[in-house]
Amino acid sequence: MVTTTAFFCNFAGGETIATKKKKRMIKDILPDFVLGLSPMDEITTPEYREICKEYGADVVFTEFVSTDALIRDVEKSYKKITFSEKQRPLAIQIFGNDEKTLVNAAQRVEELKPDWIDINWGCPMKRIAGKGSGSGILQDIPKMLRLTKAVVDSVKLPVSVKTRLGYDEKNKPIVELAEMLQDVGIQLISIHGRTKTQMYRGSADWTLIAKTKENPRLKIPVFGNGDIDSVEKFLEYKKRYNLDGILIGRYAIGNPYFFLQCKQALKNEKIYQPTLQDRVEICKKHILLSIENNGEERTCINMRKFYPRYFLGVRNFKPFKLQLLASKTKEEVFDILSQVSKLEE
């Protein structure tokens, strides 16, 4: 159950953190409307963020990284949050549920100089939420606010939050919660239109995201996320819900062109449709960038999540998909892709 707003006003000390400490404002580095790449574990890698930026993503988020891993100097975690200047504006996303660890990790992230730090209070996966991190913290709103405030107070960079509507159907406090998070100093909130218990089932409910934005006391930008799977739906939701931004999640996997297509639609321009050869070439580029960051063996494993999406809808692709999923070298993959390029679209 969500505790009353009055409690949290006292908790926040009656004034926002923003009034206590001047920070660079996230909204000052954003376009009027943001079309961004939503953070996704093992998807929004350094190489894929770069590709999505090239195709028009205004903002990208890193994969979430464990605060425990960061303070233990786990190399794999630091690799996830390395970035090039091409990827700006960029937020590094962290998750955890211990105040000291979160603060320590946020300070380490600040040294990497992203544009801001994002806290993941939205992941519904059991290994995360089951331990009280991610959307698991939606069962303990006072703790969520306390931890968020601690991070905000500990760094000079701006801080944002990504979360969900609430924990379950009976507990969807997002309108009130967003205001509370603003009061402890966050500068932006991204909202996935489902509850924790929904996971990714059913349909995302954008009406509560819109109500959050319509709250006259809320002054920070609000991004919506969930179920955008066509240019038409993007245009409809942008017009209907009047948010500050829309983040593209699963539909962006292997489909970086979607950012360009949405922007062309906004300008009433002809919509780019990638040819099969285009798909092969961007997949190859992704592989080469990944090899630079991760080595050949790791890349062949990591790319397995992308091959089916890069070639979604291509006739007679299935035998080649199976070959790609079993491939272990760049030469093997590139040979298979050369055969894929000769298939009928």
Side-chain angles (χ1 to χ4, degrees), residues 268-311:
N268 293 314
E269 296 175 352
K270 183 179 179 181
I271 305 298
Y272 166 71
Q273 299 297 338
T275 64
L276 180 54
Q277 190 60 45
D278 290 336
R279 298 195 210 186
V280 168
E281 291 305 315
I282 199 67
C283 184
K284 286 182 177 179
K285 179 175 182 177
H286 189 169
I287 291 165
L288 292 173
L289 287 171
S290 182
I291 288 173
E292 287 181 23
N293 293 331
N294 308 295
E296 189 170 358
E297 182 180 356
R298 189 74 234 165
T299 291
C300 288
I301 295 171
N302 292 347
M303 287 298 298
R304 292 172 184 170
K305 297 179 178 63
F306 287 91
Y307 294 134
R309 301 299 293 263
Y310 269 123
F311 303 106

Side-chain angles (χ1 to χ4, degrees), residues 189-192 206 209 222-226 228 243 245-248:
I189 186 166
S190 305
I191 305 168
H192 182 95
W206 285 61
I209 305 176
V222 177
F223 292 173
N225 171 231
I228 300 296
L243 302 174
I246 289 177
L247 299 182
I248 309 301

